[in-house]
Amino acid sequence: MRLHIDWTACDGRGLCTELLPETLDRDPWGFPVPRDGAREPAVHPDLAAHAERAVRLCPSLALRLRGAK
Ligand code: SF4
């Protein structure tokens, strides 16, 4: 699965980078930076529950998961 980040909605608080540190680094302002360099970073299946939590808790509703794997 892949994580879609709506950059127009993200306000850079960095919550998702704390919940998904394996997938997302953060820049100095708190905005997520995909570690794999992809626009929609791949989420390892083992991290699916964490990714779903990040989607649920993003205060700006800026995250979505795409695909089954
Ligand atoms: S949790 Fe949402 S608003 Fe916060 S940095 Fe991540 S995508 Fe942006």
Side-chain angles (χ1 to χ4, degrees):
M1 65 178 67
R2 290 189 172 272
L3 187 66
H4 174 77
I5 303 167
D6 179 351
W7 296 105
T8 65
C10 172
D11 66 1
R13 301 288 176 85
L15 177 62
C16 56
T17 68
E18 293 175 17
L19 295 173
L20 270 179
E22 301 88 347
T23 306
L24 300 172
D25 196 1
R26 62 191 294 171
D27 73 9
W29 298 274
F31 286 90
V33 179
R35 290 191 187 276
D36 66 4
R39 185 174 172 80
E40 293 188 339
V43 176
H44 191 281
D46 290 351
L47 299 174
H50 294 283
E52 286 163 4
R53 189 155 179 256
V55 168
R56 230 176 21 251
L57 295 180
C58 171
S60 300
L61 304 178
L63 298 175
R64 265 187 300 149
L65 280 171
R66 290 189 176 171
K69 289 202 173 183

Short mmCIF file of all heavy atoms in Angstrom, two decimals:
data_model
loop_
_atom_site.label_atom_id
_atom_site.label_comp_id
_atom_site.label_asym_id
_atom_site.label_seq_id
_atom_site.Cartn_x
_atom_site.Cartn_y
_atom_site.Cartn_z
N MET A 1 0.84 -1.18 0.00
CA MET A 1 0.00 0.00 0.00
C MET A 1 0.88 1.25 0.00
O MET A 1 2.05 1.19 0.36
CB MET A 1 -0.95 0.00 1.20
CG MET A 1 -0.27 0.09 2.54
SD MET A 1 -1.44 0.15 3.93
CE MET A 1 -2.14 -1.48 3.86
N ARG A 2 0.27 2.32 -0.41
CA ARG A 2 1.02 3.59 -0.46
C ARG A 2 0.27 4.66 0.32
O ARG A 2 -0.96 4.64 0.41
CB ARG A 2 1.22 4.02 -1.91
CG ARG A 2 2.20 3.12 -2.62
CD ARG A 2 2.60 3.62 -3.97
NE ARG A 2 3.68 2.80 -4.49
CZ ARG A 2 4.97 3.03 -4.27
NH1 ARG A 2 5.34 4.07 -3.55
NH2 ARG A 2 5.88 2.24 -4.76
N LEU A 3 1.06 5.59 0.84
CA LEU A 3 0.49 6.67 1.63
C LEU A 3 0.42 7.94 0.79
O LEU A 3 1.44 8.43 0.31
CB LEU A 3 1.38 6.91 2.86
CG LEU A 3 0.84 7.88 3.90
CD1 LEU A 3 -0.42 7.33 4.56
CD2 LEU A 3 1.92 8.15 4.95
N HIS A 4 -0.80 8.42 0.60
CA HIS A 4 -0.98 9.66 -0.14
C HIS A 4 -1.02 10.82 0.84
O HIS A 4 -1.75 10.79 1.83
CB HIS A 4 -2.28 9.62 -0.96
CG HIS A 4 -2.59 10.92 -1.62
ND1 HIS A 4 -1.95 11.32 -2.76
CD2 HIS A 4 -3.45 11.91 -1.27
CE1 HIS A 4 -2.41 12.52 -3.11
NE2 HIS A 4 -3.31 12.90 -2.22
N ILE A 5 -0.21 11.83 0.56
CA ILE A 5 -0.16 13.02 1.42
C ILE A 5 -0.71 14.20 0.63
O ILE A 5 -0.20 14.54 -0.44
CB ILE A 5 1.29 13.33 1.86
CG1 ILE A 5 1.90 12.12 2.57
CG2 ILE A 5 1.32 14.57 2.76
CD1 ILE A 5 3.41 12.21 2.75
N ASP A 6 -1.77 14.80 1.15
CA ASP A 6 -2.35 15.99 0.52
C ASP A 6 -1.58 17.20 1.04
O ASP A 6 -1.83 17.70 2.15
CB ASP A 6 -3.84 16.09 0.86
CG ASP A 6 -4.48 17.33 0.24
OD1 ASP A 6 -3.74 18.19 -0.31
OD2 ASP A 6 -5.71 17.44 0.32
N TRP A 7 -0.64 17.68 0.23
CA TRP A 7 0.24 18.76 0.69
C TRP A 7 -0.51 20.07 0.86
O TRP A 7 -0.05 20.96 1.58
CB TRP A 7 1.40 18.93 -0.29
CG TRP A 7 2.26 17.72 -0.34
CD1 TRP A 7 2.32 16.78 -1.31
CD2 TRP A 7 3.18 17.28 0.69
NE1 TRP A 7 3.20 15.78 -0.97
CE2 TRP A 7 3.75 16.07 0.24
CE3 TRP A 7 3.56 17.80 1.92
CZ2 TRP A 7 4.69 15.37 0.99
CZ3 TRP A 7 4.49 17.11 2.67
CH2 TRP A 7 5.04 15.91 2.22
N THR A 8 -1.64 20.21 0.21
CA THR A 8 -2.40 21.45 0.37
C THR A 8 -3.12 21.47 1.72
O THR A 8 -3.51 22.54 2.19
CB THR A 8 -3.44 21.62 -0.76
OG1 THR A 8 -4.41 20.58 -0.66
CG2 THR A 8 -2.78 21.57 -2.12
N ALA A 9 -3.29 20.30 2.33
CA ALA A 9 -4.00 20.23 3.61
C ALA A 9 -3.05 20.10 4.80
O ALA A 9 -3.35 20.56 5.89
CB ALA A 9 -4.97 19.04 3.60
N CYS A 10 -1.90 19.47 4.59
CA CYS A 10 -0.95 19.22 5.69
C CYS A 10 -0.50 20.54 6.31
O CYS A 10 -0.12 21.47 5.59
CB CYS A 10 0.25 18.46 5.15
SG CYS A 10 1.59 18.29 6.36
N ASP A 11 -0.54 20.60 7.64
CA ASP A 11 -0.07 21.82 8.30
C ASP A 11 1.25 21.61 9.02
O ASP A 11 1.69 22.46 9.81
CB ASP A 11 -1.14 22.39 9.22
CG ASP A 11 -1.43 21.49 10.41
OD1 ASP A 11 -0.78 20.43 10.51
OD2 ASP A 11 -2.28 21.85 11.24
N GLY A 12 1.88 20.45 8.78
CA GLY A 12 3.25 20.26 9.24
C GLY A 12 3.43 20.15 10.74
O GLY A 12 4.44 20.61 11.26
N ARG A 13 2.51 19.52 11.43
CA ARG A 13 2.71 19.32 12.87
C ARG A 13 3.57 18.10 13.17
O ARG A 13 4.02 17.92 14.29
CB ARG A 13 1.36 19.19 13.58
CG ARG A 13 0.48 20.39 13.41
CD ARG A 13 1.02 21.57 14.23
NE ARG A 13 0.23 22.77 13.99
CZ ARG A 13 -0.88 23.06 14.64
NH1 ARG A 13 -1.35 22.24 15.54
NH2 ARG A 13 -1.52 24.17 14.39
N GLY A 14 3.69 17.24 12.17
CA GLY A 14 4.62 16.12 12.32
C GLY A 14 4.09 14.90 13.05
O GLY A 14 4.86 13.97 13.33
N LEU A 15 2.80 14.87 13.35
CA LEU A 15 2.26 13.71 14.06
C LEU A 15 2.51 12.42 13.30
O LEU A 15 2.91 11.40 13.87
CB LEU A 15 0.76 13.89 14.31
CG LEU A 15 0.06 12.71 14.98
CD1 LEU A 15 0.64 12.47 16.37
CD2 LEU A 15 -1.44 12.95 15.06
N CYS A 16 2.28 12.45 12.00
CA CYS A 16 2.45 11.24 11.20
C CYS A 16 3.91 10.75 11.23
O CYS A 16 4.18 9.56 11.15
CB CYS A 16 1.99 11.46 9.77
SG CYS A 16 2.82 12.83 8.94
N THR A 17 4.85 11.67 11.35
CA THR A 17 6.26 11.26 11.38
C THR A 17 6.59 10.57 12.69
O THR A 17 7.54 9.80 12.76
CB THR A 17 7.20 12.46 11.18
OG1 THR A 17 7.14 13.33 12.31
CG2 THR A 17 6.84 13.23 9.92
N GLU A 18 5.81 10.83 13.73
CA GLU A 18 6.01 10.14 15.01
C GLU A 18 5.35 8.77 14.98
O GLU A 18 5.83 7.84 15.61
CB GLU A 18 5.44 10.98 16.16
CG GLU A 18 6.22 12.27 16.36
CD GLU A 18 5.59 13.15 17.43
OE1 GLU A 18 4.77 12.65 18.22
OE2 GLU A 18 5.92 14.34 17.45
N LEU A 19 4.24 8.66 14.26
CA LEU A 19 3.52 7.38 14.21
C LEU A 19 4.11 6.43 13.17
O LEU A 19 3.94 5.22 13.27
CB LEU A 19 2.04 7.63 13.89
CG LEU A 19 1.27 8.42 14.95
CD1 LEU A 19 -0.13 8.74 14.46
CD2 LEU A 19 1.20 7.62 16.25
N LEU A 20 4.78 6.98 12.16
CA LEU A 20 5.34 6.16 11.08
C LEU A 20 6.80 6.53 10.80
O LEU A 20 7.15 6.87 9.66
CB LEU A 20 4.52 6.39 9.80
CG LEU A 20 3.33 5.51 9.54
CD1 LEU A 20 2.65 5.93 8.23
CD2 LEU A 20 3.70 4.05 9.48
N PRO A 21 7.65 6.46 11.81
CA PRO A 21 9.03 6.91 11.60
C PRO A 21 9.79 6.08 10.58
O PRO A 21 10.75 6.56 9.97
CB PRO A 21 9.65 6.80 13.00
CG PRO A 21 8.83 5.78 13.71
CD PRO A 21 7.43 5.94 13.17
N GLU A 22 9.36 4.81 10.40
CA GLU A 22 10.05 3.96 9.41
C GLU A 22 9.77 4.43 7.98
O GLU A 22 10.55 4.17 7.07
CB GLU A 22 9.61 2.50 9.55
CG GLU A 22 9.86 1.89 10.91
CD GLU A 22 8.72 2.12 11.89
OE1 GLU A 22 7.82 2.95 11.60
OE2 GLU A 22 8.73 1.47 12.94
N THR A 23 8.64 5.08 7.79
CA THR A 23 8.21 5.51 6.46
C THR A 23 8.46 6.99 6.21
O THR A 23 8.79 7.40 5.09
CB THR A 23 6.69 5.23 6.29
OG1 THR A 23 6.45 3.85 6.58
CG2 THR A 23 6.22 5.54 4.88
N LEU A 24 8.31 7.79 7.29
CA LEU A 24 8.37 9.24 7.13
C LEU A 24 9.42 9.86 8.02
O LEU A 24 9.39 9.70 9.25
CB LEU A 24 7.01 9.86 7.47
CG LEU A 24 5.82 9.42 6.62
CD1 LEU A 24 4.53 9.96 7.22
CD2 LEU A 24 5.98 9.88 5.18
N ASP A 25 10.33 10.58 7.41
CA ASP A 25 11.24 11.47 8.15
C ASP A 25 10.51 12.81 8.25
O ASP A 25 9.39 12.95 7.75
CB ASP A 25 12.54 11.60 7.36
CG ASP A 25 13.67 12.16 8.21
OD1 ASP A 25 13.45 12.43 9.40
OD2 ASP A 25 14.78 12.32 7.66
N ARG A 26 11.10 13.79 8.89
CA ARG A 26 10.46 15.10 8.95
C ARG A 26 11.49 16.17 8.64
O ARG A 26 12.67 16.03 8.93
CB ARG A 26 9.81 15.34 10.30
CG ARG A 26 10.80 15.34 11.46
CD ARG A 26 10.11 15.31 12.79
NE ARG A 26 9.36 16.52 13.04
CZ ARG A 26 8.52 16.67 14.07
NH1 ARG A 26 8.33 15.69 14.91
NH2 ARG A 26 7.88 17.79 14.25
N ASP A 27 10.99 17.25 8.03
CA ASP A 27 11.91 18.35 7.74
C ASP A 27 11.95 19.27 8.97
O ASP A 27 11.25 19.03 9.96
CB ASP A 27 11.51 19.06 6.44
CG ASP A 27 10.26 19.91 6.58
OD1 ASP A 27 9.77 20.11 7.71
OD2 ASP A 27 9.77 20.38 5.54
N PRO A 28 12.79 20.30 8.96
CA PRO A 28 12.94 21.14 10.15
C PRO A 28 11.65 21.83 10.58
O PRO A 28 11.53 22.30 11.71
CB PRO A 28 14.00 22.17 9.72
CG PRO A 28 14.76 21.52 8.62
CD PRO A 28 13.76 20.66 7.89
N TRP A 29 10.67 21.90 9.70
CA TRP A 29 9.41 22.58 10.03
C TRP A 29 8.32 21.59 10.45
O TRP A 29 7.18 21.99 10.69
CB TRP A 29 8.94 23.42 8.85
CG TRP A 29 9.93 24.48 8.51
CD1 TRP A 29 10.03 25.73 9.06
CD2 TRP A 29 10.99 24.38 7.56
NE1 TRP A 29 11.09 26.40 8.52
CE2 TRP A 29 11.70 25.60 7.59
CE3 TRP A 29 11.43 23.37 6.70
CZ2 TRP A 29 12.81 25.85 6.79
CZ3 TRP A 29 12.55 23.60 5.90
CH2 TRP A 29 13.21 24.84 5.95
N GLY A 30 8.65 20.31 10.46
CA GLY A 30 7.68 19.30 10.89
C GLY A 30 6.91 18.65 9.76
O GLY A 30 6.05 17.81 10.01
N PHE A 31 7.20 19.02 8.52
CA PHE A 31 6.49 18.39 7.40
C PHE A 31 7.08 17.01 7.11
O PHE A 31 8.30 16.81 7.23
CB PHE A 31 6.59 19.26 6.14
CG PHE A 31 5.73 20.48 6.20
CD1 PHE A 31 6.22 21.67 6.70
CD2 PHE A 31 4.40 20.43 5.78
CE1 PHE A 31 5.42 22.80 6.78
CE2 PHE A 31 3.59 21.56 5.85
CZ PHE A 31 4.11 22.74 6.36
N PRO A 32 6.23 16.07 6.74
CA PRO A 32 6.72 14.71 6.47
C PRO A 32 7.56 14.64 5.20
O PRO A 32 7.26 15.31 4.21
CB PRO A 32 5.42 13.89 6.32
CG PRO A 32 4.37 14.87 5.96
CD PRO A 32 4.76 16.18 6.60
N VAL A 33 8.60 13.83 5.27
CA VAL A 33 9.49 13.60 4.13
C VAL A 33 9.57 12.09 3.90
O VAL A 33 10.12 11.38 4.74
CB VAL A 33 10.90 14.15 4.39
CG1 VAL A 33 11.81 13.88 3.20
CG2 VAL A 33 10.85 15.64 4.71
N PRO A 34 8.97 11.60 2.81
CA PRO A 34 9.02 10.15 2.55
C PRO A 34 10.46 9.64 2.49
O PRO A 34 11.29 10.17 1.76
CB PRO A 34 8.32 10.00 1.20
CG PRO A 34 7.39 11.18 1.13
CD PRO A 34 8.16 12.30 1.81
N ARG A 35 10.75 8.62 3.28
CA ARG A 35 12.11 8.10 3.32
C ARG A 35 12.51 7.43 2.01
O ARG A 35 13.70 7.38 1.69
CB ARG A 35 12.26 7.10 4.48
CG ARG A 35 12.23 7.76 5.84
CD ARG A 35 12.65 6.80 6.92
NE ARG A 35 12.46 7.37 8.24
CZ ARG A 35 13.35 8.18 8.85
NH1 ARG A 35 14.46 8.49 8.23
NH2 ARG A 35 13.11 8.64 10.05
N ASP A 36 11.52 6.91 1.26
CA ASP A 36 11.89 6.23 0.01
C ASP A 36 11.94 7.20 -1.17
O ASP A 36 12.18 6.80 -2.31
CB ASP A 36 10.95 5.06 -0.28
CG ASP A 36 9.50 5.49 -0.56
OD1 ASP A 36 9.23 6.71 -0.60
OD2 ASP A 36 8.64 4.59 -0.74
N GLY A 37 11.71 8.48 -0.91
CA GLY A 37 11.83 9.48 -1.96
C GLY A 37 10.65 9.52 -2.91
O GLY A 37 10.63 10.32 -3.85
N ALA A 38 9.65 8.66 -2.67
CA ALA A 38 8.50 8.62 -3.57
C ALA A 38 7.48 9.69 -3.17
O ALA A 38 7.40 10.10 -2.02
CB ALA A 38 7.83 7.25 -3.49
N ARG A 39 6.72 10.13 -4.16
CA ARG A 39 5.66 11.10 -3.87
C ARG A 39 4.61 10.47 -2.95
O ARG A 39 4.07 11.14 -2.06
CB ARG A 39 5.02 11.53 -5.20
CG ARG A 39 3.99 12.61 -5.05
CD ARG A 39 3.51 13.07 -6.42
NE ARG A 39 2.39 13.98 -6.30
CZ ARG A 39 2.51 15.26 -6.00
NH1 ARG A 39 3.70 15.78 -5.82
NH2 ARG A 39 1.44 16.02 -5.89
N GLU A 40 4.31 9.20 -3.19
CA GLU A 40 3.41 8.44 -2.32
C GLU A 40 4.22 7.29 -1.75
O GLU A 40 4.36 6.24 -2.41
CB GLU A 40 2.20 7.92 -3.10
CG GLU A 40 1.29 9.04 -3.57
CD GLU A 40 0.00 8.50 -4.18
OE1 GLU A 40 -0.03 7.32 -4.58
OE2 GLU A 40 -0.96 9.27 -4.25
N PRO A 41 4.80 7.44 -0.57
CA PRO A 41 5.71 6.42 -0.06
C PRO A 41 5.03 5.07 0.16
O PRO A 41 3.85 5.00 0.53
CB PRO A 41 6.19 7.00 1.27
CG PRO A 41 5.16 8.01 1.65
CD PRO A 41 4.63 8.55 0.37
N ALA A 42 5.79 4.01 -0.11
CA ALA A 42 5.30 2.66 0.12
C ALA A 42 5.29 2.39 1.63
O ALA A 42 6.21 2.78 2.34
CB ALA A 42 6.20 1.65 -0.59
N VAL A 43 4.23 1.74 2.09
CA VAL A 43 4.12 1.36 3.50
C VAL A 43 4.25 -0.15 3.59
O VAL A 43 3.50 -0.89 2.95
CB VAL A 43 2.75 1.80 4.09
CG1 VAL A 43 2.62 1.33 5.52
CG2 VAL A 43 2.61 3.31 4.00
N HIS A 44 5.24 -0.61 4.36
CA HIS A 44 5.43 -2.05 4.53
C HIS A 44 4.18 -2.65 5.17
O HIS A 44 3.60 -2.04 6.08
CB HIS A 44 6.66 -2.29 5.41
CG HIS A 44 7.09 -3.72 5.43
ND1 HIS A 44 6.46 -4.67 6.20
CD2 HIS A 44 8.08 -4.35 4.75
CE1 HIS A 44 7.05 -5.83 6.00
NE2 HIS A 44 8.04 -5.67 5.12
N PRO A 45 3.76 -3.83 4.72
CA PRO A 45 2.55 -4.46 5.27
C PRO A 45 2.58 -4.58 6.80
O PRO A 45 1.54 -4.47 7.45
CB PRO A 45 2.53 -5.84 4.61
CG PRO A 45 3.28 -5.65 3.33
CD PRO A 45 4.32 -4.61 3.61
N ASP A 46 3.77 -4.78 7.36
CA ASP A 46 3.86 -4.89 8.83
C ASP A 46 3.47 -3.60 9.53
O ASP A 46 3.20 -3.60 10.73
CB ASP A 46 5.29 -5.26 9.25
CG ASP A 46 5.64 -6.69 8.87
OD1 ASP A 46 4.74 -7.43 8.43
OD2 ASP A 46 6.83 -7.05 9.00
N LEU A 47 3.49 -2.50 8.78
CA LEU A 47 3.21 -1.20 9.38
C LEU A 47 1.80 -0.70 9.05
O LEU A 47 1.47 0.45 9.33
CB LEU A 47 4.23 -0.17 8.88
CG LEU A 47 5.70 -0.47 9.23
CD1 LEU A 47 6.62 0.54 8.56
CD2 LEU A 47 5.89 -0.45 10.74
N ALA A 48 0.99 -1.59 8.49
CA ALA A 48 -0.35 -1.17 8.04
C ALA A 48 -1.17 -0.57 9.17
O ALA A 48 -1.83 0.47 9.00
CB ALA A 48 -1.08 -2.35 7.42
N ALA A 49 -1.14 -1.21 10.34
CA ALA A 49 -1.95 -0.71 11.46
C ALA A 49 -1.47 0.68 11.88
O ALA A 49 -2.29 1.56 12.20
CB ALA A 49 -1.88 -1.68 12.63
N HIS A 50 -0.16 0.90 11.86
CA HIS A 50 0.37 2.21 12.23
C HIS A 50 -0.04 3.26 11.19
O HIS A 50 -0.35 4.40 11.53
CB HIS A 50 1.90 2.15 12.34
CG HIS A 50 2.37 1.27 13.46
ND1 HIS A 50 2.35 1.67 14.76
CD2 HIS A 50 2.85 0.01 13.45
CE1 HIS A 50 2.80 0.70 15.54
NE2 HIS A 50 3.12 -0.33 14.76
N ALA A 51 0.00 2.85 9.92
CA ALA A 51 -0.38 3.77 8.86
C ALA A 51 -1.86 4.14 8.97
O ALA A 51 -2.23 5.31 8.81
CB ALA A 51 -0.09 3.14 7.50
N GLU A 52 -2.69 3.16 9.27
CA GLU A 52 -4.12 3.44 9.42
C GLU A 52 -4.37 4.38 10.60
O GLU A 52 -5.23 5.26 10.55
CB GLU A 52 -4.90 2.13 9.60
CG GLU A 52 -5.00 1.35 8.29
CD GLU A 52 -5.38 -0.11 8.48
OE1 GLU A 52 -5.64 -0.52 9.64
OE2 GLU A 52 -5.38 -0.85 7.48
N ARG A 53 -3.59 4.21 11.64
CA ARG A 53 -3.70 5.09 12.81
C ARG A 53 -3.30 6.52 12.42
O ARG A 53 -3.96 7.49 12.83
CB ARG A 53 -2.82 4.55 13.92
CG ARG A 53 -3.00 5.25 15.22
CD ARG A 53 -2.62 4.35 16.39
NE ARG A 53 -2.79 5.08 17.63
CZ ARG A 53 -1.78 5.59 18.33
NH1 ARG A 53 -0.55 5.42 17.93
NH2 ARG A 53 -2.01 6.27 19.44
N ALA A 54 -2.23 6.65 11.66
CA ALA A 54 -1.78 7.98 11.24
C ALA A 54 -2.86 8.66 10.39
O ALA A 54 -3.13 9.86 10.56
CB ALA A 54 -0.47 7.87 10.45
N VAL A 55 -3.48 7.89 9.51
CA VAL A 55 -4.56 8.45 8.67
C VAL A 55 -5.71 8.93 9.55
O VAL A 55 -6.24 10.03 9.37
CB VAL A 55 -5.06 7.38 7.67
CG1 VAL A 55 -6.35 7.83 6.99
CG2 VAL A 55 -3.98 7.08 6.64
N ARG A 56 -6.05 8.11 10.54
CA ARG A 56 -7.17 8.45 11.43
C ARG A 56 -6.88 9.68 12.27
O ARG A 56 -7.77 10.49 12.53
CB ARG A 56 -7.43 7.25 12.35
CG ARG A 56 -8.86 6.82 12.39
CD ARG A 56 -9.14 5.58 13.22
NE ARG A 56 -8.20 5.19 14.24
CZ ARG A 56 -7.40 4.12 14.16
NH1 ARG A 56 -7.43 3.35 13.10
NH2 ARG A 56 -6.60 3.81 15.15
N LEU A 57 -5.63 9.82 12.70
CA LEU A 57 -5.30 10.87 13.67
C LEU A 57 -4.78 12.16 13.06
O LEU A 57 -4.65 13.16 13.76
CB LEU A 57 -4.27 10.34 14.67
CG LEU A 57 -4.76 9.19 15.57
CD1 LEU A 57 -3.65 8.75 16.51
CD2 LEU A 57 -5.98 9.61 16.37
N CYS A 58 -4.49 12.15 11.76
CA CYS A 58 -3.99 13.39 11.13
C CYS A 58 -5.01 14.50 11.37
O CYS A 58 -6.16 14.40 10.94
CB CYS A 58 -3.78 13.19 9.63
SG CYS A 58 -3.43 14.75 8.78
N PRO A 59 -4.62 15.57 12.05
CA PRO A 59 -5.58 16.63 12.38
C PRO A 59 -6.10 17.38 11.16
O PRO A 59 -7.14 18.03 11.25
CB PRO A 59 -4.78 17.57 13.31
CG PRO A 59 -3.35 17.27 13.02
CD PRO A 59 -3.27 15.84 12.60
N SER A 60 -5.40 17.28 10.04
CA SER A 60 -5.83 17.99 8.84
C SER A 60 -6.48 17.07 7.81
O SER A 60 -6.77 17.51 6.69
CB SER A 60 -4.63 18.68 8.20
OG SER A 60 -4.07 19.60 9.10
N LEU A 61 -6.67 15.80 8.17
CA LEU A 61 -7.25 14.82 7.24
C LEU A 61 -6.47 14.82 5.91
O LEU A 61 -7.06 14.75 4.83
CB LEU A 61 -8.74 15.10 6.98
CG LEU A 61 -9.62 15.16 8.24
CD1 LEU A 61 -11.06 15.50 7.87
CD2 LEU A 61 -9.57 13.87 9.03
N ALA A 62 -5.16 14.91 6.02
CA ALA A 62 -4.32 15.04 4.83
C ALA A 62 -3.75 13.71 4.35
O ALA A 62 -3.04 13.68 3.35
CB ALA A 62 -3.17 16.01 5.12
N LEU A 63 -4.05 12.63 5.05
CA LEU A 63 -3.45 11.33 4.69
C LEU A 63 -4.52 10.35 4.21
O LEU A 63 -5.63 10.32 4.74
CB LEU A 63 -2.73 10.73 5.91
CG LEU A 63 -1.56 11.54 6.47
CD1 LEU A 63 -1.04 10.88 7.74
CD2 LEU A 63 -0.46 11.69 5.44
N ARG A 64 -4.13 9.55 3.22
CA ARG A 64 -4.99 8.47 2.74
C ARG A 64 -4.11 7.29 2.38
O ARG A 64 -2.98 7.48 1.92
CB ARG A 64 -5.78 8.89 1.51
CG ARG A 64 -7.17 9.41 1.81
CD ARG A 64 -7.96 9.66 0.56
NE ARG A 64 -7.32 10.65 -0.29
CZ ARG A 64 -7.40 10.64 -1.62
NH1 ARG A 64 -8.07 9.71 -2.25
NH2 ARG A 64 -6.79 11.58 -2.32
N LEU A 65 -4.64 6.09 2.54
CA LEU A 65 -3.92 4.89 2.11
C LEU A 65 -4.48 4.42 0.79
O LEU A 65 -5.70 4.41 0.59
CB LEU A 65 -4.05 3.78 3.16
CG LEU A 65 -3.12 3.91 4.37
CD1 LEU A 65 -3.50 2.89 5.41
CD2 LEU A 65 -1.67 3.75 3.96
N ARG A 66 -3.59 4.03 -0.12
CA ARG A 66 -4.02 3.54 -1.43
C ARG A 66 -3.47 2.15 -1.66
O ARG A 66 -2.30 1.90 -1.38
CB ARG A 66 -3.49 4.45 -2.53
CG ARG A 66 -4.15 5.78 -2.54
CD ARG A 66 -3.75 6.56 -3.75
NE ARG A 66 -4.49 7.82 -3.78
CZ ARG A 66 -4.24 8.78 -4.62
NH1 ARG A 66 -3.29 8.66 -5.49
NH2 ARG A 66 -4.96 9.88 -4.59
N GLY A 67 -4.31 1.28 -2.19
CA GLY A 67 -3.85 -0.05 -2.57
C GLY A 67 -3.86 -1.02 -1.40
O GLY A 67 -3.86 -0.62 -0.24
N ALA A 68 -3.86 -2.30 -1.73
CA ALA A 68 -3.88 -3.32 -0.69
C ALA A 68 -2.50 -3.58 -0.15
O ALA A 68 -2.32 -3.93 1.01
CB ALA A 68 -4.48 -4.62 -1.23
N LYS A 69 -1.47 -3.45 -1.02
CA LYS A 69 -0.10 -3.71 -0.57
C LYS A 69 0.84 -2.73 -1.18
O LYS A 69 0.58 -2.20 -2.20
CB LYS A 69 0.31 -5.12 -0.93
CG LYS A 69 -0.43 -6.12 -0.06
CD LYS A 69 0.32 -7.42 -0.02
CE LYS A 69 -0.36 -8.33 1.00
NZ LYS A 69 0.32 -9.57 1.16
S1 SF4 B 1 -0.21 14.36 10.65
FE1 SF4 B 1 -1.22 15.29 8.87
S2 SF4 B 1 -1.04 17.50 9.18
FE2 SF4 B 1 0.42 16.50 10.54
S3 SF4 B 1 2.35 16.49 9.38
FE3 SF4 B 1 1.31 14.52 9.00
S4 SF4 B 1 0.11 14.85 7.12
FE4 SF4 B 1 0.68 16.85 7.92
#
